Amino acid sequence: MQHTNWIQAAPGVWKMTVGSPEGLTPLTCLNRQPRTEAMAAMPEMPLPLNENETELLPLSAGGSLLSFPLDISEELYGMGLQFMRMNQRGRTRYLRVNSDPKQDTGETHAPASFLVSGKGYGILVDSARAVTFYCGSALRQQEGASVQARDRNTDRSWKATPVSDRLEIRLPQEGAAVYLFAGPGMLDVMRRYNLFCGGGVLPPRWGLGFWHRVPTLFRDAEVEQEAMEFRARDIPCDVIGLEPGWHSASYPVTYEWDRDRFPDPAGFVSRMKEAGFQINLWEHPYVSPESGLFGPMQPLSGNYSVWGGLAPDYALEEARELYTAQHDREHVSLGTSGYKLDECDGSELTRNSWMFPPHASFPSGHDGEQMRQLYGLLLQDMTDRLYRKKNRRTYGLVRASNAGASNLPYVLYSDLYDHRQFVRALCNASFSGLLWSPEVRRADSAEDWVRRMQTVCFSPLAMLNAWGDGVKPWSFPEVEPIIRHYIRLRMRLLPYLYTVFAEYEAKGTPPFQAMPLVLAGEKQMNGESEETAGDTREGFNTAEGAYGLQAGREWDDQFCIGRDLLIAPLFAGESGREVLLPKGVWYEAETGVRHEGDQIIHMDCPLERFPLFVREGAIIPMMPALNHVPEGMQEIPVEMIHFGTMPGRSMLYDDDGETFDYEKNGGCWRKLTVNQAVDGKFSGTAEEGGPACRYRITGWRFGQTRLPLE
């Protein structure tokens, strides 16, 4: 056994180097600078683990095993975009990039090798190799282990996964850099991790509006006609996405406009922008022989093809320059707003198998395993830097990512389509510096349609993807008013959403938070046994609480946006659900019903309502439900909605919504305060805004119990 040697790398962060790590890793390929000033403003913390209890063991097959102690009830979260469960304790996680995971192995679109413990520390393995975490899933043969032996024939306490007191991480043969992040709580860990990776992302304001992707083979006139139908029906929409048919050839792709479907790309983009629509372009990384990029990129690509196209080596600066120059000339200079980066993950978990193999070689000297783990990161980074050079923010979609991605302006998606898994993925993304969109593509019924659309309207990217099914918000006419209401409500809440993302950018605070992060610092709530936990309302002990034990209900079907909005999605077939409310008082945002927190409540919800709660004392800024986000420095009226009977304190962030000028001038942060006089009357104040402020505060509503109607 070797001794571990941790060296402080940043405030609250320690680093250990094992072996001789390879130079290309998630952190090195992105090369984001840690936000040390913001990290230094957090509470000073010591090394979060006892070095004497940390083991580093050489393995006979090569590589090392890093081992940490686990408490018997310690929960483990994170490890990227996981769909099957939230608490990973007792599971083995093989963290390889792979599309559409239908098995609970750890393989996923974004397998970040970052783990967060319920005890308030985090561990990151910075490697371009597929790392395996044994999250208390492997029991060593040692003194005391034999007491867990049970006779399965007669003992109902027998467990398929015995309780292990060690977290073990199998490191790559070459070694790796390992980082420890201090708390004291899990939310503090996440803030340190996100800040260490460069801080969170602040999307352009239009990126938080509603998105609609049109069918694959739509022509320009069909796209414009469908877009204008949004305006005619008074449904807000900011972004129109084009799918593979905009390419002159796809699978593999050319990155060049099809001149039959889009004879005048510049004119098309200009007309759409005049109508208030941004254009987002679908693509994938594999270059068609019909593309003008094929010849120059051929010597800069791997030795295996994907779909007959090139897999460029984007670890090479020359390949990156070719890609960005072509994209600038053909797309960005025309005014397109960003990309949907598809199929940069590969597949062995579906009925198809495609991708370059691990033994593929690339001109940079890296192999297929490394490139596959990093392909999504490299594509995100190239396009982000391209827009940054133009002083334009972008926001897009990506199907593969990894550790260190919090600063990248991309939201993950998948070809999976289980609604509950989509919500669980949204929760899990908050433990890894990732964003996730539970996009809507189709529905089995009007009820399923409404429940999916309600969920997506309270997500990091609200999108209807009609690429294959041709659906529209009005596809179920009988519920069109409900759909319109929630899309418009998202637009009205945009100042709140934008402020939450600004907190992410500046302080690393996840904008969307799973319940363990929300409850950090509050009384942990313990569930019943595995057989009964979560089965009925009576099955929970609300006096002791209902959160925490591995066998209990995980509450992976609800989350918070910022600190003041709680979202508890409903699924088809449900007319109500149980909701876990944190401490304090909470109001049903659309009915005004008041609930004491720190308990589980049951909420009945007809189809036209959605379980949305607002915390007492919250100050929610709301704007009109505009058809699209105004451009430039056009003034936006905002009304302040104060909730409940308590005074409140909050912040409102603003800037031009489009450029990176906020990095120089700091944007416009305004402190909002609601005070209560001796006679019980409330008054509100907002600090004066600077030149970067577009919001004009039109008034205040005090003591509200519900969001105002339009």
Side-chain angles (χ1 to χ4, degrees), residues 471-488:
V471 290
K472 304 163 180 57
W474 48 91
S475 286
F476 291 84
E478 65 271 34
V479 295
E480 181 183 342
I482 301 175
I483 304 303
R484 179 185 295 105
H485 165 72
Y486 283 102
I487 295 176
R488 291 175 68 85

PDB file of all heavy atoms in Angstrom, residues 471-488:
ATOM      1  N   VAL A 471     -44.745  16.953 -34.728  1.00  0.00           N
ATOM      2  CA  VAL A 471     -45.681  17.501 -33.737  1.00  0.00           C
ATOM      3  C   VAL A 471     -45.482  19.000 -33.561  1.00  0.00           C
ATOM      4  O   VAL A 471     -44.421  19.555 -33.876  1.00  0.00           O
ATOM      5  CB  VAL A 471     -45.520  16.786 -32.384  1.00  0.00           C
ATOM      6  CG1 VAL A 471     -46.039  15.359 -32.460  1.00  0.00           C
ATOM      7  CG2 VAL A 471     -44.055  16.801 -31.946  1.00  0.00           C
ATOM      8  N   LYS A 472     -46.513  19.635 -33.033  1.00  0.00           N
ATOM      9  CA  LYS A 472     -46.509  21.071 -32.765  1.00  0.00           C
ATOM     10  C   LYS A 472     -47.200  21.299 -31.426  1.00  0.00           C
ATOM     11  O   LYS A 472     -47.913  20.411 -30.952  1.00  0.00           O
ATOM     12  CB  LYS A 472     -47.235  21.814 -33.883  1.00  0.00           C
ATOM     13  CG  LYS A 472     -46.670  21.544 -35.287  1.00  0.00           C
ATOM     14  CD  LYS A 472     -47.648  21.954 -36.363  1.00  0.00           C
ATOM     15  CE  LYS A 472     -47.072  21.691 -37.763  1.00  0.00           C
ATOM     16  NZ  LYS A 472     -46.696  20.277 -37.973  1.00  0.00           N
ATOM     17  N   PRO A 473     -47.014  22.446 -30.796  1.00  0.00           N
ATOM     18  CA  PRO A 473     -47.701  22.666 -29.514  1.00  0.00           C
ATOM     19  C   PRO A 473     -49.214  22.507 -29.607  1.00  0.00           C
ATOM     20  O   PRO A 473     -49.872  22.230 -28.608  1.00  0.00           O
ATOM     21  CB  PRO A 473     -47.311  24.107 -29.160  1.00  0.00           C
ATOM     22  CG  PRO A 473     -46.008  24.325 -29.843  1.00  0.00           C
ATOM     23  CD  PRO A 473     -46.107  23.546 -31.127  1.00  0.00           C
ATOM     24  N   TRP A 474     -49.769  22.656 -30.795  1.00  0.00           N
ATOM     25  CA  TRP A 474     -51.209  22.553 -30.989  1.00  0.00           C
ATOM     26  C   TRP A 474     -51.620  21.207 -31.589  1.00  0.00           C
ATOM     27  O   TRP A 474     -52.730  21.061 -32.102  1.00  0.00           O
ATOM     28  CB  TRP A 474     -51.681  23.697 -31.877  1.00  0.00           C
ATOM     29  CG  TRP A 474     -50.869  23.898 -33.127  1.00  0.00           C
ATOM     30  CD1 TRP A 474     -51.094  23.343 -34.348  1.00  0.00           C
ATOM     31  CD2 TRP A 474     -49.700  24.713 -33.274  1.00  0.00           C
ATOM     32  NE1 TRP A 474     -50.139  23.749 -35.252  1.00  0.00           N
ATOM     33  CE2 TRP A 474     -49.259  24.606 -34.631  1.00  0.00           C
ATOM     34  CE3 TRP A 474     -48.967  25.537 -32.403  1.00  0.00           C
ATOM     35  CZ2 TRP A 474     -48.140  25.276 -35.110  1.00  0.00           C
ATOM     36  CZ3 TRP A 474     -47.845  26.199 -32.883  1.00  0.00           C
ATOM     37  CH2 TRP A 474     -47.441  26.063 -34.219  1.00  0.00           C
ATOM     38  N   SER A 475     -50.752  20.205 -31.499  1.00  0.00           N
ATOM     39  CA  SER A 475     -51.069  18.906 -32.091  1.00  0.00           C
ATOM     40  C   SER A 475     -52.265  18.227 -31.423  1.00  0.00           C
ATOM     41  O   SER A 475     -52.942  17.413 -32.044  1.00  0.00           O
ATOM     42  CB  SER A 475     -49.849  17.978 -32.024  1.00  0.00           C
ATOM     43  OG  SER A 475     -48.871  18.369 -32.968  1.00  0.00           O
ATOM     44  N   PHE A 476     -52.512  18.509 -30.151  1.00  0.00           N
ATOM     45  CA  PHE A 476     -53.705  18.030 -29.466  1.00  0.00           C
ATOM     46  C   PHE A 476     -54.583  19.251 -29.200  1.00  0.00           C
ATOM     47  O   PHE A 476     -54.431  19.926 -28.169  1.00  0.00           O
ATOM     48  CB  PHE A 476     -53.340  17.321 -28.163  1.00  0.00           C
ATOM     49  CG  PHE A 476     -52.621  16.010 -28.357  1.00  0.00           C
ATOM     50  CD1 PHE A 476     -51.249  15.968 -28.555  1.00  0.00           C
ATOM     51  CD2 PHE A 476     -53.327  14.811 -28.353  1.00  0.00           C
ATOM     52  CE1 PHE A 476     -50.579  14.766 -28.735  1.00  0.00           C
ATOM     53  CE2 PHE A 476     -52.672  13.597 -28.528  1.00  0.00           C
ATOM     54  CZ  PHE A 476     -51.303  13.578 -28.726  1.00  0.00           C
ATOM     55  N   PRO A 477     -55.497  19.580 -30.110  1.00  0.00           N
ATOM     56  CA  PRO A 477     -56.260  20.836 -30.012  1.00  0.00           C
ATOM     57  C   PRO A 477     -57.013  20.988 -28.693  1.00  0.00           C
ATOM     58  O   PRO A 477     -57.165  22.110 -28.198  1.00  0.00           O
ATOM     59  CB  PRO A 477     -57.223  20.754 -31.198  1.00  0.00           C
ATOM     60  CG  PRO A 477     -56.587  19.811 -32.155  1.00  0.00           C
ATOM     61  CD  PRO A 477     -55.851  18.818 -31.327  1.00  0.00           C
ATOM     62  N   GLU A 478     -57.461  19.857 -28.121  1.00  0.00           N
ATOM     63  CA  GLU A 478     -58.254  19.940 -26.902  1.00  0.00           C
ATOM     64  C   GLU A 478     -57.465  20.456 -25.702  1.00  0.00           C
ATOM     65  O   GLU A 478     -58.050  20.921 -24.712  1.00  0.00           O
ATOM     66  CB  GLU A 478     -58.877  18.574 -26.575  1.00  0.00           C
ATOM     67  CG  GLU A 478     -57.892  17.462 -26.225  1.00  0.00           C
ATOM     68  CD  GLU A 478     -57.389  16.675 -27.424  1.00  0.00           C
ATOM     69  OE1 GLU A 478     -57.238  17.282 -28.515  1.00  0.00           O
ATOM     70  OE2 GLU A 478     -57.129  15.470 -27.266  1.00  0.00           O
ATOM     71  N   VAL A 479     -56.128  20.393 -25.756  1.00  0.00           N
ATOM     72  CA  VAL A 479     -55.316  20.876 -24.635  1.00  0.00           C
ATOM     73  C   VAL A 479     -54.395  22.014 -25.054  1.00  0.00           C
ATOM     74  O   VAL A 479     -53.501  22.400 -24.291  1.00  0.00           O
ATOM     75  CB  VAL A 479     -54.486  19.729 -24.013  1.00  0.00           C
ATOM     76  CG1 VAL A 479     -55.395  18.684 -23.374  1.00  0.00           C
ATOM     77  CG2 VAL A 479     -53.556  19.086 -25.052  1.00  0.00           C
ATOM     78  N   GLU A 480     -54.588  22.566 -26.241  1.00  0.00           N
ATOM     79  CA  GLU A 480     -53.731  23.670 -26.685  1.00  0.00           C
ATOM     80  C   GLU A 480     -53.714  24.838 -25.705  1.00  0.00           C
ATOM     81  O   GLU A 480     -52.639  25.415 -25.452  1.00  0.00           O
ATOM     82  CB  GLU A 480     -54.168  24.153 -28.070  1.00  0.00           C
ATOM     83  CG  GLU A 480     -53.286  25.291 -28.604  1.00  0.00           C
ATOM     84  CD  GLU A 480     -53.744  25.823 -29.947  1.00  0.00           C
ATOM     85  OE1 GLU A 480     -54.515  25.121 -30.648  1.00  0.00           O
ATOM     86  OE2 GLU A 480     -53.333  26.947 -30.308  1.00  0.00           O
ATOM     87  N   PRO A 481     -54.850  25.242 -25.094  1.00  0.00           N
ATOM     88  CA  PRO A 481     -54.790  26.344 -24.114  1.00  0.00           C
ATOM     89  C   PRO A 481     -53.882  26.044 -22.923  1.00  0.00           C
ATOM     90  O   PRO A 481     -53.222  26.947 -22.399  1.00  0.00           O
ATOM     91  CB  PRO A 481     -56.251  26.505 -23.677  1.00  0.00           C
ATOM     92  CG  PRO A 481     -57.051  25.963 -24.807  1.00  0.00           C
ATOM     93  CD  PRO A 481     -56.245  24.823 -25.351  1.00  0.00           C
ATOM     94  N   ILE A 482     -53.822  24.782 -22.496  1.00  0.00           N
ATOM     95  CA  ILE A 482     -52.942  24.413 -21.377  1.00  0.00           C
ATOM     96  C   ILE A 482     -51.485  24.554 -21.796  1.00  0.00           C
ATOM     97  O   ILE A 482     -50.653  25.111 -21.054  1.00  0.00           O
ATOM     98  CB  ILE A 482     -53.233  22.971 -20.909  1.00  0.00           C
ATOM     99  CG1 ILE A 482     -54.697  22.828 -20.475  1.00  0.00           C
ATOM    100  CG2 ILE A 482     -52.291  22.585 -19.768  1.00  0.00           C
ATOM    101  CD1 ILE A 482     -55.080  21.396 -20.114  1.00  0.00           C
ATOM    102  N   ILE A 483     -51.155  24.059 -22.984  1.00  0.00           N
ATOM    103  CA  ILE A 483     -49.782  24.153 -23.481  1.00  0.00           C
ATOM    104  C   ILE A 483     -49.375  25.616 -23.629  1.00  0.00           C
ATOM    105  O   ILE A 483     -48.270  26.017 -23.217  1.00  0.00           O
ATOM    106  CB  ILE A 483     -49.650  23.418 -24.828  1.00  0.00           C
ATOM    107  CG1 ILE A 483     -50.098  21.954 -24.701  1.00  0.00           C
ATOM    108  CG2 ILE A 483     -48.228  23.529 -25.351  1.00  0.00           C
ATOM    109  CD1 ILE A 483     -49.361  21.157 -23.660  1.00  0.00           C
ATOM    110  N   ARG A 484     -50.248  26.417 -24.216  1.00  0.00           N
ATOM    111  CA  ARG A 484     -49.957  27.843 -24.382  1.00  0.00           C
ATOM    112  C   ARG A 484     -49.700  28.496 -23.022  1.00  0.00           C
ATOM    113  O   ARG A 484     -48.753  29.288 -22.876  1.00  0.00           O
ATOM    114  CB  ARG A 484     -51.123  28.548 -25.084  1.00  0.00           C
ATOM    115  CG  ARG A 484     -50.889  30.059 -25.271  1.00  0.00           C
ATOM    116  CD  ARG A 484     -52.099  30.762 -25.855  1.00  0.00           C
ATOM    117  NE  ARG A 484     -52.372  30.305 -27.224  1.00  0.00           N
ATOM    118  CZ  ARG A 484     -53.357  29.494 -27.554  1.00  0.00           C
ATOM    119  NH1 ARG A 484     -54.207  29.055 -26.623  1.00  0.00           N
ATOM    120  NH2 ARG A 484     -53.525  29.123 -28.806  1.00  0.00           N
ATOM    121  N   HIS A 485     -50.503  28.156 -22.031  1.00  0.00           N
ATOM    122  CA  HIS A 485     -50.359  28.751 -20.698  1.00  0.00           C
ATOM    123  C   HIS A 485     -48.966  28.493 -20.125  1.00  0.00           C
ATOM    124  O   HIS A 485     -48.326  29.417 -19.590  1.00  0.00           O
ATOM    125  CB  HIS A 485     -51.428  28.180 -19.760  1.00  0.00           C
ATOM    126  CG  HIS A 485     -51.165  28.444 -18.309  1.00  0.00           C
ATOM    127  ND1 HIS A 485     -51.290  29.690 -17.741  1.00  0.00           N
ATOM    128  CD2 HIS A 485     -50.753  27.616 -17.305  1.00  0.00           C
ATOM    129  CE1 HIS A 485     -50.986  29.627 -16.458  1.00  0.00           C
ATOM    130  NE2 HIS A 485     -50.654  28.378 -16.163  1.00  0.00           N
ATOM    131  N   TYR A 486     -48.467  27.244 -20.226  1.00  0.00           N
ATOM    132  CA  TYR A 486     -47.187  26.937 -19.583  1.00  0.00           C
ATOM    133  C   TYR A 486     -45.993  27.466 -20.373  1.00  0.00           C
ATOM    134  O   TYR A 486     -44.970  27.839 -19.784  1.00  0.00           O
ATOM    135  CB  TYR A 486     -47.089  25.433 -19.298  1.00  0.00           C
ATOM    136  CG  TYR A 486     -47.911  25.072 -18.083  1.00  0.00           C
ATOM    137  CD1 TYR A 486     -49.165  24.474 -18.212  1.00  0.00           C
ATOM    138  CD2 TYR A 486     -47.468  25.400 -16.814  1.00  0.00           C
ATOM    139  CE1 TYR A 486     -49.940  24.195 -17.103  1.00  0.00           C
ATOM    140  CE2 TYR A 486     -48.234  25.126 -15.693  1.00  0.00           C
ATOM    141  CZ  TYR A 486     -49.467  24.529 -15.841  1.00  0.00           C
ATOM    142  OH  TYR A 486     -50.231  24.273 -14.733  1.00  0.00           O
ATOM    143  N   ILE A 487     -46.089  27.513 -21.689  1.00  0.00           N
ATOM    144  CA  ILE A 487     -45.013  28.149 -22.451  1.00  0.00           C
ATOM    145  C   ILE A 487     -44.962  29.637 -22.134  1.00  0.00           C
ATOM    146  O   ILE A 487     -43.879  30.221 -21.960  1.00  0.00           O
ATOM    147  CB  ILE A 487     -45.196  27.903 -23.959  1.00  0.00           C
ATOM    148  CG1 ILE A 487     -45.061  26.408 -24.278  1.00  0.00           C
ATOM    149  CG2 ILE A 487     -44.169  28.702 -24.767  1.00  0.00           C
ATOM    150  CD1 ILE A 487     -45.323  26.054 -25.737  1.00  0.00           C
ATOM    151  N   ARG A 488     -46.125  30.261 -22.026  1.00  0.00           N
ATOM    152  CA  ARG A 488     -46.167  31.686 -21.683  1.00  0.00           C
ATOM    153  C   ARG A 488     -45.701  31.917 -20.242  1.00  0.00           C
ATOM    154  O   ARG A 488     -45.044  32.924 -19.945  1.00  0.00           O
ATOM    155  CB  ARG A 488     -47.576  32.236 -21.893  1.00  0.00           C
ATOM    156  CG  ARG A 488     -47.970  32.313 -23.375  1.00  0.00           C
ATOM    157  CD  ARG A 488     -49.410  32.745 -23.565  1.00  0.00           C
ATOM    158  NE  ARG A 488     -49.617  34.137 -23.168  1.00  0.00           N
ATOM    159  CZ  ARG A 488     -49.400  35.189 -23.953  1.00  0.00           C
ATOM    160  NH1 ARG A 488     -48.960  34.998 -25.202  1.00  0.00           N
ATOM    161  NH2 ARG A 488     -49.615  36.410 -23.540  1.00  0.00           N
TER     162      ARG A 488
END
